[in-house]
Amino acid sequence: MDIRPLKQDFYNQLIIGKPQVLQKNRGYGVVSITINDLIYAIPLRSNLNHTNGFKTISMEIEGQIVWNGLDYSKALIVESDNIGTTSFNTRHQEEFDKIQENKDKIKSEFEKYVSNYIKCVERGTSSTDRRFKFTTLQYFHSELGI
C-alpha cells in the first residue's frame, strides 16, 4: 500500500463548507483503496482515539498513550489524479511496516466500515450511531449511491 499526500488544489476545493473533512494546513498521508470502482483515500492520524480505524503504533505524549493509525471515519472519495505522486514518509518505520503487513486486513475492515455506513444511512440511523456521527462519508452520498 502506497502512502501518498493529497494534492493541495484538490484538498483546497474539498474542504469548502465541509468542517469534518480534515484540518486545514496539515499534510496528510493517505492510503488509497479501491472498492466497487470508487477510490477511497484513508488518512494517517497521529492521535487515533476511537475504534474506527487501523491502529499502527502507540506513543506516549504528556503521560498519555496515543495511537497512530489509519482513520476510516475520515476517508474521502477521490479520483486517482487527486493523489500526489510522491511518497509520504511516516514518522516511524514501524508504522509503515505494520500497514504493509496488514493490507488485506485493512481493506477488509474498511469495506465493512463503508458497508455498515451505507446500511445505517438507509435505515436512517447514521446520525445516532457513534461510528458514523462525524464521518466524512456524509459528504459522498451521491458517489456511494445513497
Side-chain angles (χ1 to χ4, degrees), residues 107-126:
K107 184 168 184 181
S108 175
E109 286 179 354
F110 183 69
E111 283 180 301
K112 185 176 179 181
Y113 180 82
V114 172
S115 175
N116 286 336
Y117 175 71
I118 292 169
K119 289 175 188 172
C120 277
V121 170
E122 289 171 345
R123 286 192 308 257
T125 60
S126 62

Side-chain angles (χ1 to χ4, degrees), residues 5-36:
L6 292 174
K7 289 184 178 175
Q8 191 63 44
D9 59 338
F10 168 71
Y11 177 74
N12 290 340
Q13 292 173 348
L14 186 66
I15 62 173
I16 297 170
K18 298 175 179 132
Q20 299 300 326
V21 173
L22 298 171
Q23 291 179 9
K24 286 176 126 178
N25 300 321
R26 286 186 59 188
Y28 286 93
V30 298
V31 168
S32 61
I33 293 178
T34 302
I35 302 170
N36 298 328

Side-chain angles (χ1 to χ4, degrees), residues 90 92-102:
T90 58
H92 305 279
Q93 183 64 38
E94 306 87 51
E95 185 170 22
F96 177 82
D97 293 343
K98 190 165 183 183
I99 290 168
Q100 298 310 311
E101 293 163 5
N102 289 279

Side-chain angles (χ1 to χ4, degrees), residues 2 17-18 22-23 35 39 56 58 70 100 133 136 141:
D2 291 336
K18 298 175 179 132
L22 298 171
Q23 291 179 9
I35 302 170
I39 301 170
T56 55
S58 64
L70 294 169
Q100 298 310 311
K133 190 167 184 171
T136 52
H141 283 191

